């Protein structure tokens, strides 16, 4: 299945020390970036969703009460939260769900799950917080691909499901921005040097 994406928008987080976090008590990280990825037509992901993910993570790392309920929509969508670290934006955790979840609950849950339970990485620490960036991916308009070329780099994500030789079901997910970030080049036929 592929999920459409109408692009990526990046915005530097507020460098002001007065930007509220954790119910208005703590400053926002000064080096973070947010990235919004919307499936299909029309804007769903908002900067406040990324700020909320930072807020949730900060409160969790410092054993504070969870942040208050955010003001953005609570409509239900499949979603992913992706944490990256450093200037080179190395992947630090990415987990989400293809089941539609209310955005406020889903982002709260997956901000933590992707930070602490991605089996590819150790849990995110307090020391890493100021070096993090976060992406919120809202997925919409799923469709089956007609063949392996039935998708557009940077526009569609890919969800692959298969059963391996031992009979175990396996899945892989590539969000819409992954192909662009990794500079995928899809061609039919051999690559030649000219």
């Amino acid at each position: 299945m592929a999920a459409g994406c109408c692009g990526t928008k990046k915005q530097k987080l507020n460098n002001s020390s007065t930007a509220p976090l954790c119910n208005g008590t703590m400053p926002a990280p000064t080096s973070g970036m947010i990235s919004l990825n919307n499936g299909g037509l029309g804007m769903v992901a908002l900067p406040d969703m990324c700020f909320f993910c930072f807020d949730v993570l900060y409160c969790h790392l410092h054993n504070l009460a969870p942040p208050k309920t955010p003001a953005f929509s609570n409509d239900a969508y499949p979603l992913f939260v992706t944490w990256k670290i450093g200037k080179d934006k190395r992947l630090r955790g990415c987990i989400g769900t293809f089941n539609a979840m209310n955005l406020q609950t889903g982002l709260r849950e997956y901000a933590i799950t992707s930070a602490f339970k991605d089996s590819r990485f150790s849990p995110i620490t307090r020391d890493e917080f100021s070096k993090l960036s976060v992406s919120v991916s809202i997925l919409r308009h799923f469709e089956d691909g007609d063949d392996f070329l039935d998708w557009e780099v940077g526009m569609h994500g890919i969800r692959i499901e298969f059963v391996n030789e031992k009979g175990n079901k396996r899945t892989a997910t590539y969000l819409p921005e992954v192909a662009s970030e990794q500079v995928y080049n899809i061609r039919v036929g051999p690559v030649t040097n000219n």
Side-chain angles (χ1 to χ4, degrees), residues 11-107:
Q11 175 180 332
K12 186 146 181 144
L13 290 176
N14 187 344
N15 284 329
S16 167
S17 62
T18 61
L21 271 182
C22 293
N23 297 318
T25 61
M26 303 305 297
T30 58
S31 64
M33 293 289 289
I34 61 176
S35 177
L36 306 175
N37 305 297
N38 295 285
L41 302 172
M43 188 68 147
V44 175
L46 301 169
D48 285 351
M49 293 175 184
C50 294
F51 289 118
F52 180 66
C53 289
F54 268 113
D55 198 359
V56 168
L57 180 59
Y58 184 91
C59 291
H60 189 85
L61 286 168
H62 292 88
N63 298 314
L64 299 169
K68 64 183 177 181
T69 302
F72 54 76
S73 166
N74 200 27
D75 293 341
Y77 293 99
L79 58 92
F80 279 74
V81 175
T82 304
W83 294 103
K84 293 185 179 179
I85 192 163
K87 291 180 182 177
D88 58 348
K89 304 282 188 261
R90 291 181 323 272
L91 184 62
R92 194 61 184 80
C94 180
I95 297 180
T97 179
F98 285 100
N99 297 321
M101 288 189 76
N102 292 81
L103 289 172
Q104 295 170 5
T105 303
L107 291 175

Side-chain angles (χ1 to χ4, degrees), residues 93-149:
C94 180
I95 297 180
T97 179
F98 285 100
N99 297 321
M101 288 189 76
N102 292 81
L103 289 172
Q104 295 170 5
T105 303
L107 291 175
R108 186 181 304 271
E109 179 178 334
Y110 284 98
I112 296 300
T113 302
S114 62
F116 297 104
K117 295 187 178 180
D118 188 326
S119 63
R120 299 170 290 179
F121 305 100
S122 61
I124 288 175
T125 66
R126 284 186 191 184
D127 293 338
E128 294 174 304
F129 185 79
S130 66
K131 301 172 193 128
L132 293 172
S133 61
V134 67
S135 297
V136 169
S137 298
I138 308 296
L139 306 177
R140 304 189 303 165
H141 307 297
F142 290 84
E143 60 185 68
D144 290 331
D146 292 331
D147 59 51
F148 74 100
L149 291 174

